[in-house]
Structures are given as C-alpha cells and as structure tokens.
Amino acid sequence: MFSIYLSNDNHSPGDISFGGYDLEKFAKKDAPVTWMDQAQNEFYWTVNTKGVNYNGKKLTENVQQIIFDNGMSLAMVPENAFVALIKNLHDYGLDCKESKPVWTCKGDPNAPIVPDIEFNVVLNQKGETGNIRMPHHAYIKRSMQNPTNYFLLV
C-alpha cells in the first residue's frame, strides 16, 4: 500500500508514504475515502468500471478498466466512450477536432461550464460499486492565449 499527495502550490509540498496511509496528509478533512480492489493489469494501476456517465447520460455501460496513475499527463479513454464524449461536448457549444498532441475544441468563450465525468467503479470482488468524479477542469482546459480555444486532455 502507498499514498501520494500532489500539491499545486509551494505552501503545501507533496509527499509519498509507503506501507500505509496518513489521512491527515492525503485526504480532505471529513471527506470519505473510497477503497477499490485493483483490476488485473500488469502495466497500470487500474480499477474496473461498470459504466461512465456524463451529465446523466451514459457514455458506456461496458465493464472496462480505468487508470488512476499520477504519472500520466493525459487520461486515456476507450474509443467508444471518447466518441460519445465528443458528441456530448458539442451540446455545450464545443466543436472538437483531432490535433497533435491533444484534441482541440473551438467554442464561445462564455460557453457554460461542462459537466464532470462520473465513473461507476467496482469496489470489490462482491461487485459492490461506487462513483468517482473527474472534475471538468481535469479533462478540458481553456487556452490562455485565445479564450475560444479549449484543449481536451483525454
């Protein structure tokens, strides 16, 4: 078991703990901690999901693995769920196109905030599930140079 805390400011440096965890350092005060069994995957720290939702719409209902890895700069999404996400972003006035190294989207700088992505994760071998949210700012960023440009980070 290990715990990782990544900080985005200089006042609270990140930390790593092996052989246990420290909720005072690694969790928000009074926030629930969700424990999940690791899926069978030799290459990544993954968990199984039973579905992915976006603003109440199902992107997928297939059992698939998602990666919780602090070393990845981008999230990886199965193709069918990604296509569904692109179609849903269009409903928010964003027109997304493939480019390198990330997909870019054009849209109104005053467009509404897009929803979080919700993963229905399998918690244990009994098949119990729980929900984990990916905040919108973790998968889409507005360009600082041009407010009509957005970068899709999945």
Side-chain angles (χ1 to χ4, degrees):
M1 176 180 288
F2 64 93
S3 304
I4 298 174
Y5 169 70
L6 299 175
S7 175
N8 59 0
D9 65 57
N10 292 331
H11 303 293
S12 56
D15 200 357
I16 188 167
S17 171
F18 294 98
Y21 57 92
D22 181 349
L23 293 181
E24 294 293 322
K25 282 186 183 177
F26 298 109
K28 290 183 181 178
K29 186 173 176 68
D30 300 323
V33 175
T34 303
W35 299 99
M36 295 167 269
D37 289 347
Q38 184 179 345
Q40 297 296 317
N41 188 314
E42 299 177 13
F43 304 106
Y44 300 101
W45 296 99
T46 62
V47 296
N48 289 319
T49 67
K50 284 197 170 182
V52 181
N53 295 315
Y54 186 78
N55 197 28
K57 297 178 185 176
K58 295 214 180 280
L59 293 182
T60 180
E61 294 182 70
N62 302 335
V63 173
Q64 48 192 282
Q65 294 179 357
I66 58 173
I67 300 170
F68 289 116
D69 185 341
N70 67 312
M72 296 187 62
S73 57
L74 302 175
M76 289 199 271
V77 177
E79 184 175 359
N80 61 342
F82 183 76
V83 170
L85 175 63
I86 294 297
K87 288 178 182 176
N88 278 279
L89 287 171
H90 191 265
D91 294 344
Y92 287 84
L94 296 173
D95 182 29
C96 300
K97 305 276 189 234
E98 184 176 8
S99 62
K100 305 260 179 179
V102 296
W103 277 57
T104 58
C105 305
K106 293 268 189 200
D108 184 337
N110 300 314
I113 295 175
V114 295
D116 299 342
I117 298 174
E118 185 175 86
F119 299 91
N120 183 241
V121 296
V122 179
L123 300 175
N124 52 43
Q125 292 180 352
K126 293 183 220 173
E128 296 172 328
T129 62
N131 292 319
I132 302 288
R133 287 189 177 276
M134 177 187 278
H136 64 274
H137 56 80
Y139 73 88
I140 192 163
K141 302 278 186 199
R142 187 186 309 253
S143 168
M144 294 177 74
Q145 285 83 25
N146 183 344
T148 64
N149 286 345
Y150 298 79
F151 302 102
L152 196 56
L153 305 176
V154 291

